[in-house]
């Protein structure tokens, strides 16, 4: 299972890659394995605003549909439109194929997420 | 002892012994004494089969159906010709079941029939996806409104007052208990008031619902409605009459996102108001919010074509709280009827039906106007129904017609105060020139 060192993680298996006051958000390698073959991603819309832990997207696999929750509050700057036609990109490379990019409204929220080491032991439990 | 209950007292006591009870009443011990029914039901004594069928036939004889009456009544339920092939196919035991068989392993026939129905609905409406059907046209409209709210994440629905009053009542009931605000768009000269829509439309409105041809039979010009709706990123929902789609532009061609309607016209009898057939179809973009079941075509491991329920993740048994709708039922037999009807008539046949409705309705309208006792209320293009302003009370007109075994038009004053002198007349392909001429001469003679 792949974990990226400089990313932050949630207990629901979302990842955050912080760049200044923006962040890329996606689902982890652990999550895509658990979900199986992904067939559809319901993307949020640009300018949508979310609080930390709000459901902002749905990833549907052949097994089930799972809500994806916002790791940190913010407004959507862009969405990864490639996923509309090729949702399986998340299975192929979950860390490059982000779901959306947000403008962080409160950077301190990142402090209550896990770093890669913490996330690694969280997954091993 | 009842003839259809095979258990003797001895059988019943043996069964009670096994589960450790003393009487049948013990089975209901968890129902409080004070709310239990103590006396026998107030119903008639038992009858033999022969007596029951006589009794029922006598009640049925009190009704007058479209077999004895010449029907000029429409307003949402239509007296169209039903090819006899339909009852022969639908009554086959493989199809004739109240259960919706959807296990792909044993139900390929039923699944394929539904798939064909969906394909034909898509062709008629100009949409990408259709579901396996819903209860009826009005609930389909309400389900479409939920769909629109779910996909736009908005909480208001706008409906034109030219949409059938019955449909609007069902919408009101459905939206009320979902906390969705229902806004009515005024009617002007028999069509949707575009200025009123422009005023009420904003980014909180999930969808705009119009009916085409509308309740007055008029073919609405949807172009402005479409523009205003989409400018606010709302969805356009059209409630369409399926027969009319054989000769009119499909709603898909003029920008609809969701197309719903009543499929009774497609080979289903009037059935005293139901069971009917609700169809719902939408663009590919919205398909994951479509309620109910969808049948898809796929291949098995050996590459053979097969049919299965698809996109199941939308459905309430996967994510109950997130599902667009918790309706799983479809009107399987009515949808099958529609599929047989459309296949039996074919493209040309359906066009012929639609054309005859159109021509005969216009002939009837012209003839009625020539009497000088009736005039067309609206100067607008219409399909198979039209509104006439009557110089005689509509109730009186219909009473006189009924004496002559004619079922007259709908008195729209019941729903629209300003049209209390008006009658909505419907002429389907089943009406002959003789029947229309007779209607006109009787209506002309009423003083």
């Amino acid at each position: 299972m792949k974990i990226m060192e400089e990313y932050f993680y949630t207990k629901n298996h979302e990842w955050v890659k912080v760049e200044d006051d923006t962040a890329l958000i996606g689902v982890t390698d652990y999550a895509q394995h658990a979900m199986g073959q992904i067939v559809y991603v319901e993307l949020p819309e640009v300018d949508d605003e979310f609080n930390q832990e709000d459901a902002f997207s749905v990833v549907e696999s052949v097994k089930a549909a799972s809500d994806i929750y916002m790791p940190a509050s913010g407004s959507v700057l862009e969405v990864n439109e490639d996923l509309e036609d090729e949702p399986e990109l998340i299975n192929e490379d979950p860390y490059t194929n982000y779901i959306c990019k947000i403008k962080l409204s409160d950077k301190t929220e990142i402090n209550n997420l896990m770093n890669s080491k913490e996330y690694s032991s969280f997954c091993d439990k | 002892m009842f003839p259809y209950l095979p258990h003797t007292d001895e059988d019943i006591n043996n069964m009670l012994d096994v589960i450790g009870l003393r009487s049948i009443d013990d089975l209901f011990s968890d129902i409080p004494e004070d709310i239990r029914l103590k006396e026998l039901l107030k119903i008639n004594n038992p009858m033999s089969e022969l007596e029951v069928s006589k009794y029922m036939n006598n009640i049925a004889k009190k009704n007058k159906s479209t077999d004895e009456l010449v029907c000029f009544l429409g307003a949402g339920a239509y007296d169209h010709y039903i090819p006899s092939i339909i009852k022969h196919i639908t009554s086959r035991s493989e199809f004739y079941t109240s259960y919706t068989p959807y296990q792909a392993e044993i139900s390929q026939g039923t699944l394929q029939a539904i798939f064909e129905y969906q394909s034909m609905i898509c062709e008629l409406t100009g949409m990408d996806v259709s579901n396996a059907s819903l209860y009826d046209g009005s609930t389909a409209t309400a389900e479409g409104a939920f769909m629109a709210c779910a996909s736009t994440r908005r909480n208001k629905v706008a409906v034109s007052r030219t949409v059938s009053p019955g449909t609007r009542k069902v919408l009101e009931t459905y939206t009320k208990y979902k906390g969705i605000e229902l806004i009515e768009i005024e009617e002007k000269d028999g069509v949707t008031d575009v200025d009123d829509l422009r005023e009420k439309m904003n980014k909180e409105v999930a969808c705009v619902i119009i009916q085409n041809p509308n309740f007055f039979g008029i073919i609405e010009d949807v172009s402005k409605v479409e523009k205003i709706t989409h400018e606010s990123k709302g969805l356009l929902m059209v409630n369409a009459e399926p027969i009319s789609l054989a000769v009119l532009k499909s709603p898909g061609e003029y920008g609809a996102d969701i197309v719903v309607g009543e499929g009774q016209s497609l080979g289903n009898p009037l059935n005293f108001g139901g069971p009917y057939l609700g169809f719902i179809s939408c663009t590919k973009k919205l398909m994951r919010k479509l309620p109910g079941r969808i049948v898809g075509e796929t291949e098995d491991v050996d590459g053979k074509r097969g049919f299965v329920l698809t996109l199941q993740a939308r459905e309430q048994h996967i994510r109950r709280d997130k599902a667009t709708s918790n309706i799983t039922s479809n009107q399987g037999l009515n949808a099958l009827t529609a599929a047989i009807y459309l296949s039996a008539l074919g493209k040309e046949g359906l066009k012929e039906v639609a054309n005859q409705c159109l021509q005969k309705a216009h002939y009837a309208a012209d003839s009625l106007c020539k009497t000088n006792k009736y005039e067309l209320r609206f100067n607008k293009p219409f399909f198979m129904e039209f509104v006439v302003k009557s110089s005689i009370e509509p109730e009186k007109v219909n009473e006189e017609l009924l004496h002559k075994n004619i079922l007259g038009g709908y008195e729209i004053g019941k729903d629209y105060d300003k049209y209390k002198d008006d009658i909505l007349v419907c002429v389907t392909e089943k009406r002959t020139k003789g029947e229309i001429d007779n209607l006109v001469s009787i209506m002309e003679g009423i003083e």
Side-chain angles (χ1 to χ4, degrees):
Chain A
M1 190 187 68
K2 199 170 161 190
I3 295 180
M4 307 292 279
E5 271 193 17
E6 68 280 21
Y7 290 22
F8 293 93
Y9 299 89
T10 69
K11 288 179 180 170
N12 299 316
H13 306 282
E14 290 101 7
W15 57 257
V16 183
K17 186 186 179 191
V18 180
E19 298 164 337
D20 298 331
D21 61 348
T22 67
L24 288 175
I25 289 160
V27 295
T28 66
D29 197 28
Y30 179 97
Q32 70 83 13
H33 267 295
M35 287 190 278
Q37 191 190 341
I38 291 167
V39 292
Y40 176 69
V41 181
E42 187 182 299
L43 297 165
E45 290 197 7
V46 171
D47 294 332
D48 279 355
E49 295 196 9
F50 296 97
N51 291 322
Q52 192 173 32
E53 293 182 10
D54 280 354
F56 73 98
S57 159
V58 180
V59 175
E60 195 180 301
S61 71
V62 289
K63 284 194 269 186
S66 318
D67 282 320
I68 311 298
Y69 301 95
M70 240 340 145
S73 310
S75 59
V76 178
L77 294 173
E78 58 179 87
V79 294
N80 183 356
E81 285 175 3
D82 293 349
L83 298 177
E84 281 182 357
D85 297 324
E86 296 178 277
E88 65 278 11
L89 288 171
I90 292 184
N91 293 118
E92 287 164 24
D93 187 352
Y95 293 110
T96 318
N97 293 294
Y98 65 101
I99 294 176
C100 67
K101 184 178 182 176
I102 63 164
K103 187 172 181 3
L104 293 165
S105 52
D106 178 3
K107 272 191 84 164
T108 62
E109 284 178 346
I110 302 295
N111 301 337
N112 52 36
L113 301 178
M114 292 177 268
N115 62 28
S116 59
K117 276 204 182 74
E118 290 163 334
Y119 180 64
S120 173
S121 49
F122 173 77
C123 290
D124 291 341
K125 273 178 199 168
Chain B
M1 267 302 289
F2 299 101
Y4 294 107
L5 303 179
H7 307 121
T8 61
D9 285 345
E10 197 185 339
D11 292 335
I12 291 169
N13 288 326
N14 283 341
M15 286 191 275
L16 287 168
D17 274 347
V18 169
I19 55 174
L21 296 176
R22 275 182 319 203
S23 72
I24 294 280
D25 279 345
D26 291 351
L27 287 168
F28 301 101
S29 59
D30 50 355
I31 298 172
E33 276 289 336
D34 58 332
I35 60 164
R36 283 198 222 176
L37 192 68
K38 300 287 194 303
E39 68 273 13
L40 287 173
L41 287 172
K42 294 183 182 67
I43 52 175
N44 296 350
N45 291 331
M47 291 186 211
S48 68
E49 188 179 334
L50 185 63
E51 288 169 308
V52 169
S53 61
K54 260 191 185 155
Y55 178 79
M56 287 296 177
N57 276 325
N58 284 333
I59 294 178
K61 273 183 200 146
K62 291 182 179 174
N63 289 329
K64 281 202 164 177
S65 76
T66 49
D67 291 337
E68 303 99 71
L69 302 173
V70 179
C71 177
F72 287 96
L73 181 63
Y78 300 100
D79 180 33
H80 289 289
Y81 169 64
I82 298 174
S84 62
I85 186 173
I86 289 179
K87 66 173 181 286
H88 291 286
I89 299 180
T90 53
S91 59
R92 287 187 63 97
S93 59
E94 299 91 326
F95 284 127
Y96 205 72
T97 168
S98 56
Y99 170 64
T100 327
Y102 46 80
Q103 278 79 0
E105 303 85 339
I106 55 162
S107 304
Q108 283 302 302
T110 298
L111 289 167
Q112 180 168 358
I114 294 173
F115 181 81
E116 302 293 354
Y117 156 84
Q118 290 172 180
S119 308
M120 289 189 266
I121 290 292
C122 287
E123 231 174 300
L124 281 175
T125 57
M127 291 285 107
D128 303 320
V129 203
S130 155
N131 84 353
S133 71
L134 293 165
Y135 293 128
D136 56 26
S138 37
T139 53
T141 310
E143 292 286 343
F146 289 174
M147 232 179 111
C149 290
S151 65
T152 57
R153 300 195 189 108
R154 296 174 181 185
N155 216 22
K156 286 182 186 172
V157 168
V159 61
S160 168
R161 279 182 55 81
T162 62
V163 171
S164 154
T167 303
R168 282 185 283 124
K169 282 202 181 92
V170 172
L171 259 177
E172 206 178 303
T173 307
Y174 266 64
T175 49
K176 183 178 167 183
Y177 295 100
K178 269 255 194 173
I180 293 166
E181 190 186 331
L182 188 65
I183 304 162
E184 288 208 330
I185 306 300
E186 289 305 319
E187 163 263 334
K188 193 181 172 188
D189 305 328
V191 293
T192 307
D193 182 346
V194 177
D195 295 329
D196 191 52
L197 172 66
R198 198 175 283 116
E199 205 162 296
K200 290 173 178 168
M201 189 65 198
N202 55 46
K203 297 220 159 159
E204 290 171 358
V205 179
C207 69
V208 174
I209 308 169
I210 55 154
Q211 184 176 321
N212 214 9
N214 70 23
F215 184 66
F216 307 118
I218 296 169
I219 299 156
E220 295 220 14
D221 175 2
V222 191
S223 53
K224 283 182 183 143
V225 175
E226 184 271 335
K227 200 161 167 277
I228 296 166
T229 305
H230 286 151
E231 271 171 1
S232 297
K233 288 199 172 165
L235 299 175
L236 177 64
M237 192 195 322
V238 176
N239 180 309
E241 207 298 312
I243 301 271
S244 73
L245 297 176
V247 289
L248 299 177
K249 243 188 193 180
S250 74
E253 286 172 275
Y254 54 77
D257 302 289
I258 304 171
V259 184
V260 296
E262 176 55 66
Q264 177 268 328
S265 291
L266 305 174
N268 284 286
L270 287 158
N271 285 348
F272 212 73
Y276 280 3
L277 166 69
F279 64 85
I280 184 166
S281 55
C282 63
T283 54
K284 191 174 174 197
K285 192 167 176 251
L286 296 170
M287 74 181 177
R288 284 165 196 276
K289 296 286 183 219
L290 196 60
R293 307 196 175 287
I294 303 174
V295 178
E297 183 187 299
T298 183
E299 282 182 358
D300 71 3
V301 285
D302 306 321
K304 283 203 221 106
R305 183 172 80 151
F307 298 93
V308 291
L309 288 186
T310 189
L311 294 171
Q312 295 252 289
R314 300 166 304 109
E315 289 203 62
Q316 66 297 327
H317 51 269
I318 308 278
R319 295 199 312 160
R320 181 178 291 254
D321 56 325
K322 289 281 195 309
T324 307
S325 162
N326 284 312
I327 285 197
T328 62
S329 306
N330 84 57
Q331 299 285 83
L333 205 57
N334 303 74
L336 173 70
T337 297
I340 299 164
Y341 177 85
L342 291 169
S343 325
L345 262 63
K347 274 185 185 174
E348 295 309 314
L350 195 67
K351 268 188 210 162
E352 178 65 25
V353 171
N355 246 320
Q356 286 208 23
C357 292
L358 183 84
Q359 304 293 345
K360 288 173 175 178
H362 281 75
Y363 171 73
D366 293 345
S367 309
L368 277 172
C369 291
K370 278 183 192 148
T371 65
N372 291 326
K373 282 194 172 175
Y374 305 92
E375 55 174 299
L376 273 186
R377 167 64 76 175
F378 308 111
N379 182 20
K380 296 264 165 55
F382 62 87
F383 175 57
M384 67 175 171
E385 286 178 282
F386 56 92
V387 177
V388 289
K389 182 173 178 289
S390 165
S391 54
I392 301 127
E393 278 180 10
E395 293 85 353
K396 193 181 171 193
V397 173
N398 279 338
E399 220 169 284
E400 294 286 327
L401 287 172
L402 203 53
H403 285 312
K404 304 267 178 15
N405 283 335
I406 295 171
L407 200 51
Y410 183 78
E411 299 150 21
I412 62 171
K414 290 176 186 170
D415 305 294
Y416 298 86
D417 290 343
K418 60 176 170 178
Y419 300 131
K420 61 180 187 343
D421 302 328
D422 296 21
I423 306 172
L424 177 68
V425 182
C426 173
V427 188
T428 68
E429 82 287 1
K430 263 176 85 172
R431 300 286 72 84
T432 62
K433 182 172 180 296
E435 286 170 343
I436 298 169
D437 291 344
N438 188 34
L439 171 90
V440 174
S441 82
I442 294 168
M443 279 175 77
E444 187 174 15
I446 300 170
E447 293 303 336

